[in-house]
Amino acid sequence: MLSDGDQTEIGEKGITLSGGQKARVALARTVYQNADICLLDDPLAAVDSHVGKHMFNSCIVDELFLRKSSNSNQKRTVILVTNAIQYLSDPNVSKIVVLHDGVISEVGTHSELSSKSDSKYSSFLSVMEATGVQKDADVDMDDISNYVAEESGRPNQEESAAQEELKGERKASLGSSASSENRKNKATSTTPLMTDEFEEREQGHVGLDAYLAYAKDLGGFLFFFIVLGGNALHQVAEYASKWFLTYWAGNSSEIDGKTFLGIYTLINLAGVFVILIVTMLIFISSLRASRLLFTELLDAVLRSPMSFFDTTPAGRIVNRFTQDIYIFDEQVVQTVRYYTYTVSQVIATVAIVSFVTPPFAICMIPILMYYGHMQMYFTRTYRELKRIDSVSRSPLFALLGEMLDGLSTIRAHNAEPTFIKRLNDVLEQQMNANFLLKTSTAWITIRLQMVGACISCLACLFAVLARGSGNEV
């Protein structure tokens, strides 16, 4: 039996259930649905004959047809497709339809069809009696004792042991359909079957080994040396072009304009060439790192034991191969490019302004302290929100997969409103996490713009003060 009854977690696609258990779960869903018309496509085929008899009498007849548990006198229509004709002699079976070669050959009650010696149904009954199917189907616990007592040549001790063994096997079979299903039942315990990604997610700082592994996939020290060196050369070319343009404006009469224009063009072309090389290197290296990560991820999944797939929802695996790989393919490469370019630009700007107006460097100290505090506060919050946003996508992918796989079952049980509500709830959770992520980004953007405005204001103020004091800026 399932350990937690109808609250037992059976896993995706019923991977922890045997064929007989799946049939009983599907039949239980039909009982819970309480529909007026029930179509049963041979639910007794996957179970033992004695278990099938118990299911037919207690579930199909008593619950589905007679509705005994609901205390309702109104019967419902039950259409049972089966080749287990030993159950069709039940008095509650009102009509039997015999199919032969895909067409209806006979229609009637059990007594009507069995009384005709030339009918197909009568021939089926003859074969069933000849093979002993009826006897096996009707056996119960009392018959076991008679069966054991009839065995000859056994000592009393062996007879008693055999009787107890057969009783135990029959009870186990009624409870779990077959002894081969005991292994399946061990997987259904009071503890959750599927692991909870939200509870198992990483917390705190990202480990240094993760950064080092990604840096190694990018190309290691050589990659960062070329990127940082290229950005530094680009900043030199950019400020050199600005300085040369200023020099040209003040000394245009000394040198020919074509010469000035040629030098200015060469400086800008050099800067464009350097930034082009750096950008291409970043994109190629990032895609290479993403490909290596995908290969390692795929290899790890393919080499995982079957227990991993029993306890890991398919939506989580899909999330890793879709959203996370997309982030490495699209977002991380842009982040690396903008980060290296922005860092070199900020360092160059602060260095030049501090060199021209030394008091500016002193005023930068409290600004950098404020920026560091905001950066630490924002990083802790954004990191956790990003993790929540990532793990909240897995239930969405898992539910969509379940709905697509079980679409026919959902429609058959008229469960569309239930699954739509579940989908809306999961989608709302994911959107809430995404909204908080966007909100935190807007929060830090406002403060960074404020810091940038303060830096620009101080730079202009000290430049004006230096100009007023007679110093050249």
Side-chain angles (χ1 to χ4, degrees):
M1 298 294 290
L2 300 180
S3 58
D4 296 331
D6 58 359
Q7 298 299 316
T8 302
E9 188 177 3
I10 60 177
E12 293 182 337
K13 300 180 182 180
I15 57 177
T16 60
L17 300 180
S18 64
Q21 288 176 320
K22 290 179 180 179
R24 279 174 277 175
V25 169
L27 201 57
R29 288 173 176 168
T30 306
V31 175
Y32 275 95
Q33 189 61 30
N34 197 26
D36 293 331
I37 300 177
C38 298
L39 304 178
L40 307 180
D41 186 8
D42 206 2
L44 307 176
V47 297
D48 294 343
S49 59
H50 47 278
V51 179
K53 178 184 177 182
H54 178 75
M55 292 171 58
F56 180 81
N57 294 329
S58 302
C59 183
I60 297 178
V61 175
D62 294 345
E63 296 298 333
L64 290 180
F65 182 65
L66 301 178
R67 297 185 177 183
K68 288 186 177 180
S69 63
S70 62
N71 297 324
S72 176
N73 296 326
Q74 184 179 4
K75 299 180 181 179
R76 78 176 99 191
T77 302
V78 179
I79 301 176
L80 173 64
V81 180
T82 183
N83 58 2
I85 58 177
Q86 63 267 26
Y87 306 121
L88 302 184
S89 60
D90 190 279
N92 292 291
V93 179
S94 59
K95 183 176 293 187
I96 300 174
V97 179
V98 180
L99 298 179
H100 182 68
D101 292 335
V103 297
I104 298 176
S105 62
E106 299 171 350
V107 178
T109 63
H110 173 74
S111 58
E112 293 173 353
L113 297 178
S114 60
S115 61
K116 298 179 181 179
S117 59
D118 58 342
S119 67
K120 290 287 183 182
Y121 183 75
S122 180
S123 64
F124 293 156
L125 291 177
S126 301
V127 174
M128 181 185 67
E129 292 176 358
T131 55
V133 176
Q134 181 69 36
K135 181 179 179 180
D136 293 340
D138 292 340
V139 69
D140 55 16
M141 294 300 297
D142 295 333
D143 295 334
I144 298 175
S145 300
N146 298 331
Y147 172 78
V148 176
E150 292 175 359
E151 293 292 325
S152 60
R154 289 188 178 184
N156 294 334
Q157 184 177 2
E158 293 181 1
E159 181 176 322
S160 177
Q163 181 177 357
E164 293 297 329
E165 181 180 356
L166 286 176
K167 285 185 178 181
E169 290 179 356
R170 181 63 65 187
K171 291 179 181 179
S173 182
L174 287 173
S176 61
S177 174
S179 60
S180 61
E181 296 177 3
N182 292 337
R183 179 178 57 85
K184 298 287 185 177
N185 288 330
K186 292 180 181 179
T188 56
S189 59
T190 55
T191 58
L193 175 65
M194 294 295 178
T195 55
D196 190 351
E197 187 178 12
F198 184 82
E199 298 294 337
E200 295 179 355
R201 76 184 194 277
E202 293 288 339
Q203 296 182 358
H205 294 282
V206 179
L208 182 62
D209 54 343
Y211 291 106
L212 293 178
Y214 185 68
K216 181 180 179 181
D217 292 340
L218 286 174
F221 176 78
L222 181 62
F223 168 81
F224 288 98
F225 177 78
I226 296 176
V227 170
L228 295 178
N231 280 299
L233 291 176
H234 174 69
Q235 294 299 324
V236 170
E238 183 177 355
Y239 284 102
S241 66
K242 295 178 181 179
W243 174 85
F244 188 76
L245 188 62
T246 304
Y247 178 79
W248 185 7
N251 303 276
S252 57
S253 59
E254 299 180 2
I255 306 177
D256 183 43
K258 293 182 179 180
T259 304
F260 271 103
L261 184 60
I263 297 174
Y264 181 75
T265 303
L266 289 176
I267 294 175
N268 285 277
L269 287 177
V272 171
F273 177 77
V274 170
I275 199 63
L276 177 63
I277 297 299
V278 170
T279 303
M280 290 180 61
L281 177 62
I282 292 175
F283 272 94
I284 294 174
S285 300
S286 298
L287 292 177
R288 174 179 174 272
S290 179
R291 184 169 60 252
L292 291 175
L293 178 65
F294 176 83
T295 303
E296 294 175 0
L297 178 61
L298 181 61
D299 183 70
V301 172
L302 294 179
R303 295 179 181 272
S304 298
M306 292 304 299
S307 59
F308 168 79
F309 299 97
D310 292 344
T311 58
T312 304
R316 189 182 306 176
I317 301 176
V318 172
N319 190 20
R320 298 288 86 81
F321 279 96
T322 54
Q323 180 64 22
D324 290 357
I325 296 298
Y326 164 78
I327 290 176
F328 273 94
D329 288 341
E330 297 289 337
Q331 297 184 10
V332 174
V333 58
Q334 297 289 350
T335 302
V336 172
R337 185 168 72 92
Y338 287 130
Y339 179 77
T340 54
Y341 176 78
T342 303
V343 167
S344 61
Q345 188 179 34
V346 169
I347 292 176
T349 302
V350 172
I352 292 175
V353 175
S354 300
F355 176 77
V356 175
T357 55
F360 175 80
I362 300 176
C363 295
M364 280 295 296
I365 296 176
I367 293 178
L368 291 177
M369 294 176 61
Y370 173 79
Y371 178 80
H373 174 71
M374 288 295 101
Q375 187 267 341
M376 295 178 59
Y377 182 81
F378 170 76
T379 301
R380 289 195 298 266
T381 306
Y382 188 84
R383 182 174 55 239
E384 297 303 321
L385 289 176
K386 188 66 176 177
R387 287 169 174 166
I388 295 175
D389 176 69
S390 178
V391 301
S392 63
R393 297 177 187 271
S394 298
L396 182 60
F397 288 127
L399 183 57
L400 287 174
E402 292 176 8
M403 293 174 65
L404 292 176
D405 292 335
L407 193 58
S408 58
T409 304
I410 294 173
R411 290 175 175 173
H413 292 85
N414 195 25
E416 293 93 335
T418 302
F419 277 86
I420 290 175
K421 183 180 183 301
R422 287 181 57 189
L423 182 62
N424 289 334
D425 293 341
V426 173
L427 186 60
E428 184 177 359
Q429 293 178 0
Q430 200 282 322
M431 294 305 297
N432 287 338
N434 187 263
F435 173 76
L436 293 176
L437 197 66
K438 302 298 184 183
T439 304
S440 63
T441 303
W443 182 88
I444 194 63
T445 300
I446 294 174
R447 281 151 182 80
L448 290 179
Q449 290 178 349
M450 183 182 67
V451 172
C454 291
I455 294 175
S456 300
C457 180
L458 290 174
C460 295
L461 177 62
F462 285 115
V464 171
L465 293 177
R467 185 74 174 180
S469 62
N471 298 328
E472 291 292 334
V473 179

